Amino acid sequence: MKKLLFILLNLLFVFECSIIKTSFGRIEGNEVGNFRSFKKIPFAKSPLGKLRFQKPETPDKWDDVLNAKEYGPACMSNSSSTTSPQKWVDEDCLHVNIFTSQKCLMSKNCPVVFYIHGGEMYYDSAVMFNDTILFDTFAKRDIVLVIPAFRLGIFSHFSVYDQSIAPNNLGMFDILHALEFTKSEIHNFGGDIKQTTVFGHSYGGHIVSMLQFSTKINMDLSLFQRAVSMSTAFYFNTLEAEIEKTNRFAEHSNCSVPSALAKKLSRNQQDTYIMECLQKIDGMELLRIQRSLEDAGFPLYDGLIVREPLIQEVPIAQLFDNPKNIPSLTGCTFAELDVYMAYHDVVGTLGFENYEECDEKFRTEKKDKDFELKNRADETMAILVQTKRRVGKLLDKNITTYLYEYSYPKHATHTDDLSYLMGVHLFEKDENEVKLAQFYQEIFTNFVKYGEPGEGFERTNAENSSYFNINWNETSGERPEMKNEYESEVTLDN
């Protein structure tokens, strides 16, 4: 009888783990062994019609059990700049996908990772990852993983001067709304909001940095308490440039204000006219126009706008002066974007006042045959320099910081090491990379759980610019170890 009762209670728990209650209604997810996934959970109303180009709004409650077994669509994207096109896109995309374990659902106190995807707020998505590797990296170690979607391209970058018409940095508002949803609901999935790490790669790492360094966001540390940014490339655009791109988009959408009418309307009235016109056009048609503009040499992605209420309005060089006092793990791969060797405005991303002088010096030295970094791509240089600058700002405030560089030569470009954690851009691993994948999972999840990565990975310090060199060679016996003088050839002199 006792054995039968135990079996019945266990079956009841499994059922309750697959169907859970939230403040908005019940959700039924997938059961994979001791792991659970819950997908396509709305954290905001569908941004359609008059909600297009507006801040996200809290979703309505639902009465029936929400089917959360399958992924929803990716947010709207269609770019020639990416090798990871999305299979299904739709404007109704403001969902979170949550991965957890049976143990977390029982204990309700597991650490939380809030992962922000890259793609320059123009492509990639919250539905592009490999479930098996996500379970293996996070749920197996009793970490609750949250992957939110956010609007991209014109749906995020529509910009006007008066933010009462349409707010700037809409994608950031989506991310913050998803963080608030996580704060409110993650305990239902076994997570502890007081143990939350924001985690991002590439431009997702830039967003993490802005969340970390903004003096307007999370000042009470109630949304997150740790930060991880991998291979972080950041850049901003001016409001004026974004408005110009919006107006160009309106022109190609036949939504420009007729000249005769423009004489009678104020600036705000003209902006409202454009917005309301674009709100009436089918989203797929807007996406077609966006792709045609990109292919004609007029892409829409140029980064966030340095503007309140989310980002303090200071010169770019001062944006990172006041980080929050939370532990940080950051670094990059050795080769990053060297394979492309494309032009990138390295100096412009740093906000130097003497821009022309610095840029001329950089270009001249890169042509010099003796310049040690002449074979490094501009974008790689930008990532290295920006990483050094952010780490320096953190160390200036005595904030716990862990700095790494991935240097295994076979695969050391921009997304290679991310594949170990998230299962994107996969490749066949050799015996060393099998070990590196396991090692990566350990150090990153240790940081999420304990605030330190362990495995010999020590805090960096300003005196010798120490960092953790991640390499593995079964033949020579080489293993990850602490080294000094991180990218010493790269300087921040201006």
Side-chain angles (χ1 to χ4, degrees):
M1 179 64 71
K2 289 182 179 179
K3 184 176 181 180
L4 178 62
L5 179 61
F6 175 80
I7 293 173
L8 289 173
L9 288 173
N10 190 57
L11 288 173
L12 178 62
F13 175 76
V14 169
F15 175 77
E16 289 180 343
C17 283
S18 297
I19 299 181
I20 65 170
K21 295 179 180 179
T22 73
S23 301
F24 297 93
R26 292 178 297 163
I27 299 175
E28 182 175 10
N30 270 326
E31 176 187 349
V32 184
N34 292 323
F35 308 140
R36 304 289 184 272
S37 67
F38 300 87
K39 301 171 180 177
K40 198 187 175 184
I41 305 169
F43 68 84
K45 289 182 179 178
S46 302
L48 307 174
K50 291 186 177 181
L51 292 184
R52 184 186 283 168
F53 309 136
Q54 299 301 307
K55 291 180 184 178
E57 295 187 3
T58 301
D60 295 325
K61 295 182 179 181
W62 52 84
D63 295 323
D64 297 330
V65 176
L66 180 72
N67 184 339
K69 293 185 176 183
E70 303 294 334
Y71 282 115
C75 286
M76 300 289 272
S77 66
N78 177 23
S79 173
S80 61
S81 301
T82 176
T83 57
S84 53
Q86 306 306 307
K87 297 178 180 179
W88 174 24
V89 298
D90 196 278
E91 272 191 274
D92 183 8
C93 65
L94 294 185
H95 311 131
V96 293
N97 305 297
I98 300 177
F99 301 82
T100 187
S101 69
Q102 181 174 313
K103 182 177 178 180
C104 290
L105 288 167
M106 291 179 63
S107 67
K108 304 290 186 182
N109 65 355
C110 288
V112 178
V113 165
F114 184 92
Y115 183 83
I116 303 171
H117 73 76
E120 299 173 310
M121 304 191 85
Y122 196 68
Y123 51 84
D124 286 354
S125 76
V127 300
M128 63 182 288
F129 305 102
N130 182 296
D131 285 13
T132 300
I133 294 179
L134 297 183
F135 282 133
D136 190 57
T137 301
F138 300 102
K140 186 175 75 174
R141 294 171 172 82
D142 297 314
I143 295 171
V144 181
L145 173 65
V146 181
I147 307 179
F150 47 92
R151 282 171 281 185
L152 309 169
I154 187 61
F155 304 92
S156 171
H157 286 59
F158 177 86
S159 300
V160 295
Y161 183 80
D162 188 339
Q163 295 193 78
S164 67
I165 298 172
N168 304 143
N169 297 322
L170 266 173
M172 279 283 285
F173 276 106
D174 290 344
I175 290 166
L176 284 170
H177 201 75
L179 271 168
E180 291 288 354
F181 178 91
T182 302
K183 177 181 177 180
S184 168
E185 302 299 325
I186 202 61
H187 65 281
N188 297 309
F189 302 89
D192 179 4
I193 192 59
K194 295 180 180 179
Q195 300 182 71
T196 298
T197 301
V198 286
F199 194 138
H201 176 272
S202 193
Y203 207 81
H206 172 37
I207 296 171
V208 165
S209 293
M210 288 319 306
L211 293 171
Q212 184 180 6
F213 284 84
S214 171
T215 58
K216 308 295 177 181
I217 297 170
N218 193 42
M219 298 312 292
D220 62 356
L221 303 187
S222 64
L223 294 178
F224 60 89
Q225 301 80 37
R226 290 173 187 149
V228 175
S229 56
M230 302 174 64
S231 299
T232 299
F234 66 80
Y235 40 87
F236 303 91
N237 203 13
T238 64
L239 174 61
E240 291 73 23
E242 287 294 313
I243 290 175
E244 179 184 349
K245 292 190 175 190
T246 297
N247 289 335
R248 182 187 297 119
F249 193 97
E251 179 182 348
H252 281 77
S253 307
N254 294 320
C255 282
S256 295
V257 181
S259 55
L261 181 59
K263 296 176 182 178
K264 302 176 183 179
L265 300 180
S266 67
R267 178 177 183 172
N268 282 4
Q269 289 172 326
Q270 293 184 46
D271 290 340
T272 301
Y273 176 97
I274 292 172
M275 180 186 72
E276 291 178 348
C277 178
L278 290 174
Q279 286 175 333
K280 295 174 183 176
I281 299 176
D282 180 76
M284 294 305 291
E285 173 62 12
L286 294 184
L287 192 59
R288 184 196 68 78
I289 295 168
Q290 176 176 293
R291 175 61 183 265
S292 68
L293 283 169
E294 178 188 351
D295 291 345
F298 299 104
L300 279 164
Y301 54 94
D302 269 313
L304 299 169
I305 301 170
V306 179
R307 198 178 189 201
E308 296 190 10
L310 301 184
I311 302 173
Q312 59 271 30
E313 295 182 30
V314 298
I316 291 174
Q318 299 174 24
L319 269 179
F320 300 94
D321 284 350
N322 295 291
K324 298 173 186 66
N325 187 12
I326 60 175
S328 179
L329 171 61
T330 189
C332 56
T333 66
F334 172 77
E336 286 296 349
L337 294 158
D338 285 348
V339 65
Y340 299 109
M341 295 301 290
Y343 171 83
H344 182 78
D345 190 1
V346 179
V347 177
T349 63
L350 299 172
F352 289 154
E353 290 184 7
N354 52 336
Y355 169 83
E356 292 183 357
E357 177 186 347
C358 291
D359 189 66
E360 181 180 358
K361 181 180 180 182
F362 173 66
R363 300 292 159 195
T364 300
E365 289 185 342
K366 278 210 77 174
K367 293 178 181 178
D368 190 316
K369 63 181 178 63
D370 295 324
F371 185 49
E372 294 185 51
L373 297 171
K374 68 174 300 182
N375 292 321
R376 309 302 296 276
D378 284 3
E379 288 186 307
T380 299
M381 291 286 289
I383 292 172
L384 297 178
V385 173
Q386 292 161 0
T387 298
K388 291 190 74 165
R389 168 167 282 192
R390 281 186 295 107
V391 168
K393 296 291 186 180
L394 292 167
L395 295 180
D396 285 346
K397 302 292 185 180
N398 295 315
I399 295 173
T400 298
T401 305
Y402 295 90
L403 172 64
Y404 71 89
E405 184 170 68
Y406 178 82
S407 61
Y408 186 65
K410 188 174 181 180
H411 292 103
T413 55
H414 191 53
T415 60
D416 289 339
D417 62 335
L418 183 66
S419 70
Y420 300 152
L421 301 172
M422 305 298 292
V424 290
H425 303 291
L426 292 171
F427 51 84
E428 185 175 350
K429 296 188 286 289
D430 64 21
E431 62 174 348
N432 297 317
E433 289 164 331
V434 169
K435 297 292 186 180
L436 284 165
Q438 297 169 351
F439 192 84
Y440 247 68
Q441 290 181 351
E442 284 300 317
I443 60 175
F444 278 84
T445 56
N446 280 346
F447 178 80
V448 167
K449 297 177 77 169
Y450 312 117
E452 55 184 39
E455 305 294 339
F457 192 165
E458 302 171 3
R459 295 172 58 173
T460 187
N461 61 73
E463 290 74 25
N464 55 16
S465 192
S466 60
Y467 69 101
F468 197 51
N469 181 60
I470 303 178
N471 200 351
W472 197 290
N473 190 306
E474 285 291 311
T475 302
S476 69
E478 184 174 1
R479 296 292 184 267
E481 62 178 343
M482 292 298 298
K483 291 188 175 182
N484 295 328
E485 304 303 327
Y486 171 76
E487 290 291 346
S488 58
E489 298 90 352
V490 177
T491 67
L492 304 180
D493 297 336
N494 61 333

